Amino acid sequence: MRVISKSGEYGLRALLHMASNQDNERFFNIREMSDELDISFHFLTKILQVLTQKGILQSYRGPNGGVGFLKSAEEITLAELVRALEGDDFFDKCLLGLPGCGERQPCPMHAYWMGIRNNLKDEFETTSLADLGKNTRLQHLRLIA
Amino acid sequence: MRVISKSGEYGLRALLHMASNQDNERFFNIREMSDELDISFHFLTKILQVLTQKGILQSYRGPNGGVGFLKSAEEITLAELVRALEGDDFFDKCLLGLPGCGERQPCPMHAYWMGIRNNLKDEFETTSLADLGKNTRLQHLRLIA
DNA sequence: ATATTTGCAGACAAAATACTCTTAATTCTT
DNA sequence: AAGAATTAAGAGTATTTTGTCTGCAAATAT
Ligand code: SF4
Ligand code: SF4
């Protein structure tokens, strides 16, 4: 079950790492994060670039540069992150993956899927990045072999 | 959002089609289904082969051959179909896609994901193929351009 | 028996996704 | 001003998923 693509996963892990280690205003060095989280540096860089372009992060080049939040983790919803990482239509697409259909001519699964989808959407909309971090004391975002 | 892979989607659409058109014991011709549902014949064939191998369908070769159910649509759960189509570990994997972690060293999202996952699993376990068909009168499994 | 219809199996091709590398632009340090 | 550190951008490669093709095996019909 790949609700979230690999790159989306990496993005979320990085953001969660940042939210968990937020010792004030500092920028997070991407190289350090990629080492820490065992993600390819260049790949992570590209993913975070997108988040910067979408206005979720800000970036700074040069020595001690890095990426940082623009809003506080409390103000960032999981839904907006997922939309940024996976595409704006994330919650609009059929969960089955079928394009272009809806209420007008629903397939036998439609009512069923809509229920599941709306639940998921509601949960994502009402969950902040900060909320996610509260669920555990461990900041275990690395892979566990 | 690709909860279910393309091939899984094709498999489900075919099964739903079969469940909806079950005029007694007959076998469904794969070519007819692939035409009807706009799925590549060979690809669909391969997907249904797997379902046959996993004991969800039975097949018959030769003239008027095809594939058919072994159990009634009421007895087939969505969960077992998804497990057959997407892999037995479908409900065990991290929704995020991370391998090999669990309660022992949960990441900040763990509790959150487990809740969503268990809900989904429960729904899938208690929903039969027949239930899915009941959700609408239209048997609209084709793409809607 | 032989030919026809069907599913089975595996090799092959194309497309999407994931990952790597090289170069440029920006900021800091001295 | 020069050089080092760091992200940005985009080309290039690898892997996975999706889809196609070709021939074989089983069942039927004549
Ligand atoms: S009608 Fe069926 S295929 Fe279309 S959006 Fe609804 S669930 Fe998806
Ligand atoms: S700890 Fe995090 S990464 Fe691991 S299974 Fe739970 S949610 Fe997934």
Side-chain angles (χ1 to χ4, degrees):
Chain A
M1 172 145 51
R2 176 103 281 179
V3 175
I4 297 213
S5 69
K6 217 88 196 280
S7 47
E9 174 205 319
Y10 294 159
L12 278 178
R13 281 210 281 148
L15 289 161
L16 232 21
H17 171 84
M18 290 168 66
S20 304
N21 293 66
Q22 214 166 14
D23 46 344
N24 299 329
E25 331 280 285
R26 87 176 182 78
F27 283 83
F28 292 85
N29 180 292
I30 299 179
R31 173 76 66 182
E32 272 176 29
M33 278 202 284
S34 73
D35 288 349
E36 181 74 15
L37 302 177
D38 251 310
I39 301 171
S40 148
F41 167 67
H42 290 288
F43 199 28
L44 182 57
T45 291
K46 200 181 297 188
I47 293 162
L48 296 179
Q49 261 172 45
V50 173
L51 293 177
T52 301
Q53 286 158 356
K54 304 223 171 177
I56 288 169
L57 297 176
Q58 61 186 140
S59 70
Y60 228 77
R61 304 191 219 195
N64 300 315
V67 293
F69 290 116
L70 276 166
K71 299 192 283 189
S72 77
E74 282 78 15
E75 295 169 301
I76 301 174
T77 69
L78 181 53
E80 88 182 88
L81 294 181
V82 164
R83 267 191 270 258
L85 290 164
E86 300 286 323
D88 286 326
D89 59 349
F90 186 81
F91 296 107
D92 303 325
K93 287 190 289 188
C94 170
L95 290 192
L96 255 180
L98 302 186
C101 46
E103 309 297 334
R104 200 167 43 86
Q105 284 196 294
C107 83
M109 297 218 210
H110 190 76
Y112 183 68
W113 274 127
M114 287 310 109
I116 291 180
R117 176 165 99 179
N118 290 333
N119 281 349
L120 203 64
K121 185 174 173 180
D122 285 349
E123 293 214 54
F124 278 49
E125 293 285 9
T126 57
T127 301
S128 74
L129 192 50
D131 290 333
L132 287 175
K134 285 180 204 142
N135 278 332
T136 177
R137 285 175 308 284
L138 292 164
Q139 284 88 37
H140 180 71
L141 294 165
R142 292 166 222 94
L143 294 182
I144 312 177
Chain B
M1 171 145 50
R2 178 103 280 180
V3 175
I4 297 216
S5 70
K6 216 89 196 281
S7 47
E9 174 205 319
Y10 295 159
L12 278 179
R13 281 210 280 147
L15 289 161
L16 231 21
H17 171 85
M18 290 168 65
S20 304
N21 293 65
Q22 214 167 12
D23 45 344
N24 297 330
E25 332 279 285
R26 87 178 182 78
F27 283 83
F28 292 85
N29 180 294
I30 299 179
R31 173 75 66 181
E32 272 176 30
M33 279 203 283
S34 73
D35 288 347
E36 180 75 15
L37 302 176
D38 250 311
I39 301 170
S40 147
F41 167 67
H42 290 289
F43 200 28
L44 183 57
T45 291
K46 202 182 297 190
I47 294 162
L48 296 180
Q49 259 172 47
V50 174
L51 294 178
T52 301
Q53 285 158 357
K54 304 222 172 176
I56 289 171
L57 297 176
Q58 61 186 141
S59 69
Y60 226 77
R61 302 192 219 194
N64 301 313
V67 294
F69 290 117
L70 275 166
K71 299 192 282 189
S72 77
E74 282 78 14
E75 294 169 301
I76 302 175
T77 69
L78 181 53
E80 89 182 87
L81 293 182
V82 162
R83 266 191 271 258
L85 289 164
E86 300 286 322
D88 286 327
D89 59 348
F90 186 82
F91 297 106
D92 303 325
K93 286 191 290 189
C94 171
L95 291 191
L96 255 179
L98 302 185
C101 45
E103 308 297 334
R104 202 168 41 86
Q105 285 196 293
C107 82
M109 298 218 210
H110 190 77
Y112 182 69
W113 274 127
M114 288 308 110
I116 292 180
R117 176 166 99 178
N118 289 334
N119 281 348
L120 203 64
K121 185 175 173 179
D122 285 348
E123 293 213 53
F124 278 49
E125 292 284 10
T126 57
T127 301
S128 73
L129 191 51
D131 290 333
L132 287 175
K134 284 180 206 142
N135 278 331
T136 176
R137 284 175 308 285
L138 292 164
Q139 282 90 36
H140 179 70
L141 293 166
R142 290 166 222 95
L143 294 183
I144 312 179

